[in-house]
Amino acid sequence: MINKMKLAENIYSIAKVDDRDVPFHRLTLTKGTTYNSYLLNTDKPTIIDTVDISFGKEFVDSLKATIDLMKIQYIVINHTEPDHSGGLGSLASQAKNATIVCTDKAVEELKEMYKLHNRNFLVVRDGDKLDIGGKTLIFLETPYLHTEETMITYCIEDKILFPCDIFSTHIANTEVFNDLAKYDIFEDFKVYYTLIMHPHRKHVQYMINKIKNLDIQIIAPSHGFVLRTEINKYIALYDELSRNTSTNKSAVVIYSTMTSNTKKLSQNIVEYLAAEGISSSSIDVNKTSKEEVLEKISSSDIVLFGSSTRYGDMIGSLEDILKELKAMDLSNKLLAAFGSYGWSGEAIEVIQDYLLETNAKVLDTSTVIKSTGMSDVAFPIRVRFSAKEESLKGLERACEYIGSLALNAI
């Protein structure tokens, strides 16, 4: 069913209530969920987010009963994931005059996903404002909450924050507002934060800093209840939990280098892991005794092994260490491979092969994607030649992911 509710003057929630056991990120939402879209019926009618792709036609048919779709001037997409943007294809085909509003990184995704190559897009950046005829929207970029292209939208006049996935709950509800809920939703709110947002807790803090000076009277997320009471309580939970970054975990980065590129990578990894609250150090395997290296592996929670590649192989004495791993009990450890290379980087993959022969938890891209949906975090970590801005960004994201695992006790 589509549930409609007035939030403020000329602002309406248009929500698809999905009361099934909903498959979601390889979980099952036993309480269902809602997909919340919002209609701002101003002089320049605007839609903020849509619904899951499965319910696009139902969503558009419901909107037709409320507004002439040809009058819609803007469609704001805060986040491109299909449970929010999924109705865009159906809506855009009938709201032919609408300009699609999103971040720069969202444009190509939306064009490809919904065949919108010939539509008008308005790219907005942090702090940009948009007059929609009687109301003013301000846009704030919130990358990695929980994907890179994400932003949030704030209506200045009505003091409503539209944060898409942020501040959501997975509950199939028809009451719409949190103060009308039949039970205390706070635990559901906390569970949602833990599953979806906490792996990106550093970026939660960035978001908190961006909204701290906004006068927020209503939070209208894209899943679950609209929050219109105890607003500060819900924001405070995000702030408190995202500050809890003490892991009590230690890491060692073991490397063999040829031109110092891999050494520099190891130093970057130590720096980034330290930012995640992980006590870290690095060891040049060619300047340290085998016994000392093996002892450091035994005493660490997280171990990264890296090498440069020369003629399709590792260099130095790293392989002597890797051969010892299979006989060790590493069941409570997290392992990862990394390295720099100039051509094909075989050494990094050989390291990964050795790690997969152990009983440790070994990081790989497939597991990251299946468990989080993040496609910008890759293992093994491969950097061609020396690390530059883009590869350092990827390296930092990989360390953030390691940090999230450490915080959850690996």
Side-chain angles (χ1 to χ4, degrees):
M1 65 176 285
I2 298 289
N3 196 23
K4 300 180 183 179
M5 181 68 72
K6 184 176 181 179
L7 305 189
E9 188 65 29
N10 295 325
I11 299 182
Y12 303 88
S13 166
I14 313 290
K16 170 61 186 179
V17 181
D18 191 352
D19 58 3
R20 305 169 297 156
D21 284 350
V22 180
F24 185 83
H25 288 242
R26 294 191 64 78
L27 302 171
T28 299
L29 306 179
T30 58
K31 294 184 178 181
T33 193
T34 63
Y35 308 104
N36 303 335
S37 175
Y38 300 94
L39 166 63
L40 285 66
N41 200 1
T42 60
D43 293 340
K44 299 177 182 179
T46 298
I47 302 293
I48 297 180
D49 293 317
T50 66
V51 300
D52 184 82
I53 194 168
S54 303
F55 309 107
K57 183 179 185 304
E58 185 180 359
F59 166 69
V60 171
D61 288 345
S62 179
L63 274 179
K64 282 182 183 177
T66 306
I67 186 173
D68 179 354
L69 300 187
M70 291 296 288
K71 292 183 178 180
I72 295 174
Q73 295 299 299
Y74 298 106
I75 304 171
V76 176
I77 300 295
N78 284 316
H79 171 38
T80 62
E81 197 170 14
D83 56 331
H84 308 293
S85 69
L88 178 59
S90 299
L91 178 58
S93 67
Q94 298 190 51
K96 297 182 182 296
N97 296 318
T99 294
I100 299 162
V101 182
C102 61
T103 63
D104 181 60
K105 290 188 178 296
V107 173
E108 287 306 313
E109 292 182 12
L110 295 174
K111 284 182 177 181
E112 292 296 332
M113 289 167 70
Y114 305 111
K115 310 304 179 188
L116 298 172
H117 300 85
N118 297 320
R119 291 302 292 259
N120 290 327
F121 280 79
L122 173 61
V123 172
V124 291
R125 294 174 174 80
D126 217 34
D128 283 355
K129 294 180 180 179
L130 179 64
D131 180 354
I132 61 170
K135 296 183 189 294
T136 309
L137 303 180
I138 185 170
F139 306 99
L140 298 171
E141 294 181 85
T142 54
Y144 305 116
L145 294 181
H146 56 111
T147 51
E148 190 175 9
E149 86 296 339
T150 306
M151 68 178 186
I152 59 180
T153 302
Y154 176 72
C155 181
I156 294 175
E157 290 78 8
D158 296 284
K159 302 177 174 60
I160 300 178
L161 182 69
F162 301 93
C164 200
D165 270 329
I166 307 166
F167 301 120
S168 284
T169 46
H170 277 312
I171 305 172
N173 74 89
T174 56
E175 297 85 9
V176 180
F177 297 107
N178 66 309
D179 55 304
L180 300 181
K182 296 173 183 176
Y183 67 97
D184 187 352
I185 69 165
F186 194 66
E187 195 57 35
D188 291 299
F189 184 86
K190 186 175 181 179
V191 167
Y192 181 97
Y193 166 85
T194 301
L195 291 175
I196 306 299
M197 294 297 158
H198 198 57
H200 314 282
R201 64 195 180 282
K202 178 189 297 184
H203 302 280
V204 171
Q205 277 297 306
Y206 296 154
M207 180 273 297
I208 293 291
N209 285 330
K210 287 186 178 185
I211 69 171
K212 66 183 179 182
N213 293 322
L214 297 178
D215 182 2
I216 302 172
Q217 299 299 314
I218 294 176
I219 297 179
S222 288
H223 291 298
F225 285 95
V226 173
L227 308 174
R228 66 177 181 184
T229 60
E230 300 185 293
I231 299 296
N232 291 335
K233 171 184 174 181
Y234 293 102
I235 296 175
L237 178 71
Y238 268 55
D239 188 19
E240 175 190 350
L241 294 182
S242 61
R243 288 177 184 274
N244 178 21
T245 57
S246 177
T247 67
N248 296 318
K249 300 294 181 183
S250 63
V252 62
V253 183
I254 298 168
Y255 70 91
S256 184
T257 191
M258 186 167 57
T259 61
S260 290
N261 285 337
T262 300
K263 177 182 178 179
K264 291 175 183 175
L265 284 181
S266 74
Q267 294 168 340
N268 293 134
I269 291 170
V270 167
E271 174 188 343
Y272 293 146
L273 289 178
E276 298 300 312
I278 300 171
S279 175
S280 307
S281 61
S282 63
I283 291 177
D284 184 337
V285 73
N286 302 307
K287 297 180 179 180
T288 311
S289 70
K290 178 190 278 190
E291 292 74 23
E292 186 177 342
V293 175
L294 293 176
E295 173 57 33
K296 193 65 176 178
I297 292 170
S298 295
S299 63
S300 299
D301 302 295
I302 302 159
V303 189
L304 292 95
F305 299 87
S307 177
S308 307
T309 298
R310 183 181 184 189
Y311 301 136
D313 206 349
M314 290 176 283
I315 63 168
S317 58
L318 183 62
E319 191 162 18
D320 293 337
I321 298 296
L322 293 172
K323 288 177 179 178
E324 299 287 338
L325 299 182
K326 193 173 181 180
M328 300 173 67
D329 181 8
L330 305 176
S331 57
N332 62 340
K333 301 185 187 301
L334 188 69
L335 307 185
F338 74 97
S340 64
Y341 65 99
W343 287 269
S344 50
E346 293 90 343
I348 305 162
E349 303 305 323
V350 174
I351 294 172
Q352 184 79 349
D353 290 342
Y354 271 108
L355 302 188
L356 290 172
E357 291 179 351
T358 72
N359 63 348
K361 180 173 182 178
V362 180
L363 292 178
D364 66 272
T365 300
S366 175
T367 300
V368 174
I369 292 174
K370 288 183 289 188
S371 62
T372 69
M374 296 187 296
S375 59
D376 62 322
V377 175
F379 293 98
I381 302 167
R382 299 170 54 86
V383 174
R384 193 170 188 194
F385 299 113
S386 60
K388 298 177 176 62
E389 182 178 357
E390 190 62 28
S391 52
L392 284 174
K393 182 178 178 181
L395 187 63
E396 184 175 17
R397 289 287 290 149
C399 290
E400 287 177 10
Y401 177 75
I402 293 172
S404 72
L405 295 178
L407 198 62
N408 289 301
I410 302 178

